[in-house]
Amino acid sequence: MSNAVVINLREVREIDAGDFLSGPLGRVRLPQLQPGQQETLVAEDQEHTLFVVRGNGNAVSGAATVALRPGVALTLPLGSEVSVVAGDEGLELFTASLAIPQSPGAAE
């Protein structure tokens, strides 16, 4: 365990997991939204997953709305977008971005 690293996300709020791990896990964040504050996640070149830690709000994607509360998780597949709006309690999320493997010749 001499290579173990412990990072307090509540202090730093964001890390690039690629600095510590191999694999598709990229940016890991712990954003805290104030009541009414909004954040949009777009899955263009990576997928995103979010998990509600505290608070309440809504996630809106097109015509679909999902109520957010502790324990609720969402995953955005490639090509999707969601706007997260904090409710009257504010909203704390755990978010992780995952790189999409490129097929051979995809960058050509």
Side-chain angles (χ1 to χ4, degrees), residues 15-104:
I15 64 164
D16 181 353
D19 291 344
F20 307 97
L21 304 169
S22 62
L25 186 58
R27 189 169 68 148
V28 176
R29 300 183 313 126
L30 194 66
Q32 196 162 8
L33 306 179
Q34 299 303 313
Q37 189 176 359
Q38 177 177 322
E39 180 169 317
T40 300
L41 295 171
V42 180
E44 288 179 346
D45 57 351
Q46 56 190 335
E47 293 180 331
H48 303 285
T49 190
L50 65 86
F51 180 82
V52 180
V53 178
R54 284 191 274 207
N56 66 348
N58 288 306
V60 180
S61 181
T65 299
V66 175
L68 299 176
R69 63 185 182 290
V72 171
L74 296 174
T75 298
L76 284 71
L78 199 58
S80 63
E81 178 177 324
V82 70
S83 292
V84 176
V85 182
D88 59 351
E89 299 174 12
L91 193 59
E92 184 176 40
L93 304 169
F94 173 88
T95 67
S97 300
L98 302 164
I100 304 300
Q102 296 293 318
S103 59

